[in-house]
Amino acid sequence: MSRGLGFNGLHPAVAMLYFLVLLVSCMMFTDPVMSGLTLLALVALHLSLDGGRTMRRGLKLYAVLALFIFITNPLFSSRGATILFYFRDRPVTQESVVYGALFALSLVNVLLAFAAYSLVITSDKFLLLAAPIAPQTAFAITVTLRFIPLLTRRLKQIMTVQRAFGYIYPGMRKKLLMREGMETMHTLVAWSLEESMQSAASMRSRGYGSGKRSSAVRYRMEARDWACLWLIVLLGSQIVIGRLYGVHDYEVFPRLQPLDVSLSAWVHLGCYAVFLAIPPVMNGKERLHWRIIRSRM
Amino acid sequence: MSESLRKGLYVLSFGGIAALLVLVLWRRELYLPLSLLMIGLVMLPFFIRFERRRLRAEELLLVAMLGAIAAVSRVPFAALPSVQPVSFVVIMAALVFGAETGFLVGSIAAVASNLMLGQGPWTPWQMFSWGMIGFTAGLLRHTRFMASRWGRAAFGFGWGFLFGWIMNLWSLLGFYDRLSWPAFASVYAASFYFDLAHALSNVFFLTLFSGIWLNILGRVKQKYGLLENGRAG
């Protein structure tokens, strides 16, 4: 089968590893430079994946969460040496304000990374990865995912009928609406549960359980995947080991620390920047390539 | 699976959790990754047991269908933002088909509904909470407490709050810098209204509709001989 090009076409296992390292880095770094870089890279990643549509949809949630943490953290925590002002007899320190901002930033990073993850590792790729480890669970989830659009469609049909009969109407009382909603569910369950038993019988008659399941989608490790894998392993271990040895270990308390400008910090930063650049570069290269081919046509 | 291997697995899983708890005290900034790892470890034995069971196609499809029903059950109640019967459906599935099936239905419903609403660090927590609702309901299913309508209502009321309290643990991470009792109390007070709505809607559904659901599900179970005792706990 033809694989998508760019970062989306990467072997799912490699992409999964990439996101694992990315998520761990998002959670690990409290250094303002590293977190800021992560945010920039994640925005670039989202823009290159779907033009930032998913990101814009979640924007409100991210803003509310970040603001909440930014405001509440200094109010509950009075650690730090530099007192800015007093709020109800509690000192509000510069350090805890900075800390709240950094923490809000890293939380937004984690959420953005999760959103990017679900754009790249779509459910079929996830199930492909999960099938060798947990075949029964993966299969159950596959079937559930197939049922959800079907059941949603059926629910809409049932509710159309209820509306036509006048059981559901605008401005009905809450309790009545809950009762009618349950009626919808009863119809759905009676309709679907037994039907799924028939599907099961049909599955068995076509040989379900007679051997190992194969996957509909196939991925082979290509040269590009190997190259990416090595790059991720190399850079990822640099990033994690460097962090564990205390590079970019930004301490806010008791007093704001100056930024780390040692040589090892620069190397660490460089590795991280290259790591972050992998998907946007892959996607950007694809786009350039496409433009050049098209311009030659 | 042999008995000793299974015991070893459970011990390992609990040991892992204990080690993670200690690690969190030592390095607080790792709260988020460690808590995700911990929730994963807690759920591991359930999934291993599910993998070890040789299930017929009917039983596998039943679990999947119940998970899907629980996941879409928000749709008819979309006009009422704080009302969702997901917990109710999970409890019903567990009462008829047992604790392990209840756990799976709950956690699969959480994964599936988050695939529609957006995955996040909260997904494993929801998997755990709904899974546990199913698991405990299944464990209590033959007791006199769960046989009575009031007992079931009390169970749903309790879990309405417990669910919110478990989910609050993940939002608490916003305070891990200095987790104090006032911060703790403020998070739990802020969620009180939502937890109450969850608890009350559980009571509403359980008192009015549990009889019908037990009949519908019980009928399917009997007709197709699904997940009978001895095959599943």
Side-chain angles (χ1 to χ4, degrees):
Chain A
M1 75 153 262
S2 73
R3 282 159 61 166
L5 296 164
F7 191 63
N8 256 326
L10 213 58
H11 192 284
V14 180
M16 189 71 146
L17 183 70
Y18 183 85
F19 277 107
L20 210 66
V21 177
L22 182 65
L23 274 169
V24 168
S25 324
C26 284
M27 298 176 194
M28 234 170 25
F29 290 124
T30 46
D31 188 279
V33 177
M34 298 299 255
S35 295
L37 199 65
T38 316
L39 182 67
L40 280 180
L42 280 169
V43 170
L45 177 59
H46 270 278
L47 287 177
S48 75
L49 281 175
D50 70 337
R53 236 167 298 140
T54 318
M55 188 171 59
R56 268 195 294 278
R57 230 184 306 142
L59 211 58
K60 223 162 102 186
L61 172 74
Y62 306 148
V64 168
L65 262 175
L67 210 65
F68 177 75
I69 289 173
F70 179 61
I71 292 172
T72 49
N73 192 65
L75 297 184
F76 284 110
S77 156
S78 0
R79 282 168 79 187
T82 324
I83 294 169
L84 292 178
F85 57 90
Y86 283 87
F87 178 78
R88 289 197 185 171
D89 288 344
R90 285 177 64 97
V92 173
T93 63
Q94 187 190 4
E95 284 79 11
S96 68
V97 169
V98 170
Y99 189 87
L102 285 178
F103 189 72
L105 182 62
S106 83
L107 193 70
V108 168
N109 281 343
V110 168
L111 294 176
L112 278 174
F114 259 102
Y117 162 87
S118 44
L119 280 178
V120 174
I121 311 281
T122 44
S123 51
D124 57 321
K125 286 189 197 166
F126 176 77
L127 294 167
L128 181 87
L129 290 175
I133 308 165
Q136 234 163 211
T137 314
F139 183 64
I141 294 179
T142 317
V143 181
T144 308
L145 291 182
R146 184 264 171 276
F147 279 148
I148 281 180
L150 178 79
L151 295 190
T152 315
R153 219 156 41 229
R154 285 183 180 168
L155 277 176
K156 295 221 167 98
Q157 288 169 1
I158 299 166
M159 285 162 80
T160 310
V161 173
Q162 282 173 310
R163 239 174 256 126
F165 275 89
Y167 293 134
I168 301 180
Y169 47 89
M172 66 195 285
R173 287 214 331 274
K174 192 175 169 182
K175 204 175 155 191
L176 220 59
L177 195 64
M178 278 167 83
R179 270 174 187 277
E180 261 328 293
M182 260 305 156
E183 285 302 323
T184 323
M185 288 306 296
H186 292 156
T187 316
L188 179 78
V189 172
W191 183 358
S192 308
L193 207 56
E194 288 223 22
E195 204 207 48
S196 73
M197 296 297 107
Q198 285 177 12
S199 321
S202 139
M203 263 167 58
R204 209 167 18 174
S205 67
R206 278 176 291 164
Y208 170 79
S210 59
K212 242 183 114 188
R213 289 183 64 78
S214 59
S215 173
V217 203
R218 263 170 192 273
Y219 282 93
R220 227 160 33 99
M221 288 289 282
E222 289 169 7
R224 178 180 56 156
D225 300 317
W226 285 114
C228 271
L229 180 65
W230 281 117
L231 205 59
I232 293 169
V233 168
L234 211 68
L235 294 172
S237 48
Q238 284 284 325
I239 295 164
V240 172
I241 292 170
R243 175 66 180 79
L244 291 181
Y245 272 93
V247 187
H248 281 121
D249 189 0
Y250 189 71
E251 286 290 340
V252 175
F253 301 113
R255 219 175 268 283
L256 292 188
Q257 208 185 30
L259 291 176
D260 197 348
V261 286
S262 60
L263 179 66
S264 54
W266 280 109
V267 173
H268 196 224
L269 183 71
C271 282
Y272 192 50
V274 173
F275 172 79
L276 287 176
I278 295 173
V281 166
M282 278 179 81
N283 283 334
K285 193 197 117 228
E286 246 1 278
R287 203 155 299 160
L288 276 180
H289 197 59
W290 169 242
R291 277 179 179 274
I292 292 165
I293 293 173
R294 204 167 49 174
S295 67
R296 280 189 194 147
M297 273 198 293
Chain B
M1 191 167 16
S2 72
E3 190 66 22
S4 60
L5 187 66
R6 197 165 73 212
K7 265 190 195 145
L9 205 72
Y10 286 124
V11 168
L12 207 71
S13 169
F14 276 107
I17 293 160
L20 286 174
L21 280 175
V22 174
L23 208 59
V24 166
L25 292 180
W26 175 50
R27 299 206 80 157
R28 280 177 151 194
E29 73 269 27
L30 297 179
Y31 181 92
L32 183 58
L34 290 182
S35 63
L36 285 179
L37 211 64
M38 186 169 105
I39 285 284
L41 267 182
V42 170
M43 291 189 290
L44 196 63
F46 291 98
F47 286 105
I48 289 177
R49 267 189 73 82
F50 181 63
E51 286 298 328
R52 294 278 160 172
R53 280 157 70 186
R54 287 270 120 248
L55 288 179
R56 286 194 291 143
E58 273 85 355
E59 291 162 339
L60 208 59
L61 273 200
L62 179 84
V63 171
M65 181 50 101
L66 288 170
I69 289 173
V72 299
S73 65
R74 291 171 203 253
V75 176
F77 302 91
L80 308 164
S82 52
V83 177
Q84 46 87 3
V86 181
S87 317
F88 166 74
V89 177
V90 173
I91 293 173
M92 287 296 112
L95 284 181
V96 177
F97 296 108
E100 287 179 23
T101 309
F103 181 87
L104 276 159
V105 169
S107 55
I108 287 179
V111 178
S113 70
N114 279 330
L115 277 173
M116 297 186 287
L117 301 170
Q119 302 282 9
W122 52 82
T123 307
W125 294 87
Q126 281 186 344
M127 283 174 73
F128 174 73
S129 310
W130 267 319
M132 271 321 190
I133 291 183
F135 188 67
T136 49
L139 285 183
L140 295 172
R141 71 178 166 147
H142 293 307
T143 57
R144 204 179 304 157
F145 178 70
M146 288 304 263
S148 82
R149 182 173 292 201
W150 293 111
R152 287 197 292 264
F155 180 84
F157 188 81
W159 259 112
F161 278 97
L162 211 52
F163 182 90
W165 291 345
I166 296 175
M167 292 306 291
N168 281 349
L169 290 179
W170 117 256
S171 35
L172 266 178
L173 98 135
F175 295 100
Y176 74 82
D177 158 38
R178 173 158 278 196
L179 189 54
S180 56
W181 286 111
F184 192 81
S186 76
V187 167
Y188 277 76
S191 82
F192 178 79
Y193 172 75
F194 299 100
D195 298 341
L196 186 68
H198 185 187
L200 288 180
S201 57
N202 276 354
V203 170
F204 178 84
F205 291 132
L206 281 166
T207 43
L208 287 181
F209 299 107
S210 57
I212 305 176
W213 277 71
L214 291 178
N215 281 343
I216 298 178
L217 298 182
R219 192 177 146 272
V220 172
K221 178 183 174 176
Q222 208 168 27
K223 185 171 169 186
Y224 294 92
L226 296 170
L227 302 166
E228 287 298 344
N229 297 338
R231 290 181 59 86

